[in-house]
Amino acid sequence: LIVRNPVDRAYSEYNLTKHRKSFEELISNEIDLIKQDYGNLSHTHIVDFTKDELFLLRKGIYVKQLIPWFKIFSTDQFLIISSDDYATKTQHVYDEIFRFLELPKYDVKNLEKINKGMYPPMKPETRELLKNFFREYNDSFFKLIGRTFDWNK
């Protein structure tokens, strides 16, 4: 499972799709909905992504998505990788995947990145708002998987 910094994931999705509202308007509305739906982390509400709704933020609340899986499968049956590591240490990540799958080491020949989105930078105050919003969810996610990623940048 490759996970991306939820702040960057949300902004990327926003920029890859057409919207009539600004990113800030959409996330403000979704934050309000999440507070109504989830309350706090102890609430066991499961997100249904099959609805015709925009889930810019909810898709990045990984802890809520993985808890049901971890009730069925042990955590050692999952390999969770940061998309940042995949982007910057691609062969190393492939080596980790092959080890996890008990496959022989293989040097991937073409590590070229394709379909890289290009869009304006996020407003600093928006990034800060989202870092604060996701902090509790990320901390719970890191505790659940037993490792952390540098998502506070």
Side-chain angles (χ1 to χ4, degrees):
L1 175 67
I2 296 180
V3 292
R4 185 173 186 185
N5 177 331
V7 173
D8 297 328
R9 197 218 64 73
Y11 192 59
S12 176
E13 181 180 352
Y14 172 81
N15 281 286
L16 293 174
T17 53
K18 302 268 187 236
H19 301 284
R20 293 179 187 193
K21 294 182 178 180
S22 73
F23 181 62
E24 288 72 21
E25 288 175 285
L26 288 172
I27 63 169
S28 176
N29 292 342
E30 191 172 356
I31 286 172
D32 291 342
L33 289 172
I34 289 169
K35 287 178 181 175
Q36 290 172 18
D37 286 350
Y38 290 178
N40 58 42
L41 273 173
S42 63
H43 193 278
T44 58
H45 177 79
I46 296 174
V47 180
D48 178 6
F49 293 119
T50 61
K51 295 179 185 173
D52 252 356
E53 294 180 39
L54 190 62
F55 295 107
L56 292 175
L57 303 182
R58 282 176 266 209
K59 288 178 186 173
I61 302 175
Y62 303 122
V63 68
K64 291 277 193 181
Q65 299 172 55
L66 285 178
I67 286 173
W69 286 98
F70 285 179
K71 288 181 179 178
I72 299 168
F73 302 100
S74 65
T75 56
D76 65 344
Q77 291 180 283
F78 290 84
L79 176 61
I80 299 175
I81 296 167
S82 162
S83 66
D84 291 336
D85 289 344
Y86 181 73
T88 59
K89 302 182 273 187
T90 309
Q91 184 60 55
H92 173 78
V93 169
Y94 279 126
D95 293 344
E96 191 177 354
I97 293 168
F98 296 144
R99 262 192 313 279
F100 179 78
L101 296 173
E102 299 178 359
L103 294 171
K105 181 176 172 27
Y106 179 79
D107 289 328
V108 177
K109 309 270 185 280
N110 183 359
L111 300 176
E112 177 186 359
K113 309 295 185 261
I114 57 173
N115 296 331
K116 185 174 165 100
M118 302 299 279
Y119 36 83
M122 186 186 310
K123 294 176 183 176
E125 61 273 16
T126 303
R127 176 170 291 284
E128 197 60 34
L129 170 81
L130 289 177
K131 281 178 9 186
N132 290 332
F133 170 77
F134 280 113
R135 184 166 284 116
E136 181 184 6
Y137 295 114
N138 289 343
D139 289 346
S140 294
F141 172 64
F142 298 149
K143 185 177 178 184
L144 180 70
I145 66 171
R147 66 188 288 194
T148 61
F149 303 121
D150 187 18
W151 288 349
N152 289 321
K153 51 185 171 175

